[in-house]
Amino acid sequence: QVQLVESGGGLVQAGGSLRLSCAASGRTFSSAIMGWFRQAPGKEREFVATISRSGGSTYSAGSVKGRFIISRDNAKNTVYLQMNSLKPEDTAVYSCAASHQIGAVFSTQALTYDNWGQGTQVTVSS
């Protein structure tokens, strides 16, 4: 079991940057695939980015590719989401999640994640 706590959200102008952090408790962090998802009001939850257990492989949604970077520090039990060139359409609650799916390098599917943080609000003004 991994407990996750996000931080770093806030209000930013379009074109600005934010870095989200997700701190994990428990000794299984390094064995978990990590992911970031977001949900805007009235919309379904959307995959943002995922990273492998070692951090050597990452994958991002097309809508954020080239702007958002996912990374992790297993020594600090933390995963990050660096968000650059933010747009108003990036406004959402961002949540990190941990997956212990066997055989996968990383995952874009929310159903494969078994631990979730409470989320942090990101608001981008135009």
Side-chain angles (χ1 to χ4, degrees):
Q1 191 80 348
V2 178
Q3 294 182 330
L4 305 170
V5 179
E6 301 95 337
S7 61
L11 174 64
V12 64
Q13 289 189 331
S17 298
L18 281 175
R19 188 175 83 154
L20 305 183
S21 299
C22 172
S25 63
R27 294 183 291 177
T28 63
F29 177 77
S30 61
S31 66
I33 295 166
M34 297 300 296
W36 285 97
F37 292 78
R38 67 186 182 185
Q39 188 166 19
K43 294 188 177 181
E44 293 187 353
R45 183 166 53 194
E46 175 188 21
F47 163 76
V48 176
T50 180
I51 189 166
S52 63
R53 295 169 177 84
S54 68
S57 296
T58 64
Y59 183 81
S60 301
S63 59
V64 306
K65 194 162 291 185
R67 299 189 298 123
F68 291 11
I69 301 171
I70 188 171
S71 62
R72 68 190 295 165
D73 185 338
N74 285 345
K76 296 182 178 179
N77 280 10
T78 302
V79 62
Y80 305 96
L81 186 67
Q82 177 67 43
M83 305 186 296
N84 302 319
S85 302
L86 282 161
K87 305 175 181 180
E89 52 263 43
D90 294 319
T91 295
V93 174
Y94 285 71
S95 299
C96 66
S99 170
H100 295 87
Q101 186 182 22
I102 297 173
V105 174
F106 50 60
S107 176
T108 65
Q109 304 301 311
L111 287 177
T112 65
Y113 288 83
D114 41 24
N115 298 109
W116 291 81
Q118 83 289 349
T120 186
Q121 177 70 46
V122 171
T123 303
V124 185
S125 62
S126 57

